[in-house]
Amino acid sequence: MQAQARNTVYGGGFANPPVDSAHGFRAAMNVMARPGTIQQISGAVPPDGISPAAGALLLTLCDPETGVYLAPDVDSDDLRGWLTFHTGAPVVAAEQADFALGSWAALMPLDRFRIGTAEYPDRSATLIVEMPELDAPNARLQGPGIKDSADLTLPDLEAFQHNAMLYPLGVDFFFTSGSQLAALPRSTKVTAGE
């Protein structure tokens, strides 16, 4: 039954939307508040091409007022239909996105995403980066929400260092792999791991 749900626009949503979205929201906020932390997030069975963690994030964070950019490596009629049916979120160009989903390479270049303004730094994009794994840390993180330091797997240290230099502007990141979720807010300082 689950395999059939993955292949339909109407299946694969949260089985118990109030409870599942509350769990998803808590997981999303926990990893954003504690960079370097990895949590499990589940409940969604999205169309082929994206992870369950990314699907759960979309169901949790998106609504009809939330513009979503789908990078070419994940964009499909099935995903567009699933996203519209379950969240009502419109698919938009990268420059208008509140959220963007795709692999690191497919989301490039980063400078096309909104970084906020001096008056409204929160009017920026959040990128959901699909990763092959999150269990091979290569970066050391320091900043708010981190006691001393934390380690995380990042695809391009220099890009995250540049993003942190823009603070309070910049974009925020979620990283998904399977059912795993991690995050990197723009306020986090990134250096090479030891």
Side-chain angles (χ1 to χ4, degrees), residues 5-141:
R6 270 189 94 82
N7 296 321
T8 70
V9 168
Y10 307 109
F14 285 145
N16 186 344
V19 172
D20 292 339
S21 62
H23 287 284
F25 188 76
R26 185 178 308 119
M29 294 304 101
N30 282 343
V31 296
M32 195 60 80
R34 295 175 185 84
T37 301
I38 297 174
Q39 287 208 247
Q40 300 292 317
I41 183 172
S42 60
V45 185
D48 291 335
I50 70 167
S51 67
L57 267 183
L58 292 173
L59 293 181
T60 299
L61 301 176
C62 297
D63 61 31
E65 305 298 316
T66 309
V68 178
Y69 170 72
L70 300 175
D73 65 330
V74 298
D75 194 0
S76 70
D77 290 341
D78 285 347
L79 181 55
R80 285 173 178 251
W82 183 84
L83 184 65
T84 300
F85 178 77
H86 291 287
T87 70
V91 176
V92 299
E95 295 77 12
Q96 284 86 46
D98 297 302
F99 290 95
L101 171 65
S103 68
W104 182 252
L107 289 168
M108 293 299 110
L110 288 182
D111 62 5
R112 61 191 170 145
F113 296 103
R114 293 183 295 136
I115 62 169
T117 65
E119 297 81 19
Y120 300 102
D122 59 320
R123 292 185 182 170
S124 61
T126 299
L127 278 59
I128 302 170
V129 182
E130 290 274 50
M131 302 276 288
E133 64 176 338
L134 297 177
D135 296 328
N138 64 342
R140 176 71 37 98
L141 312 180

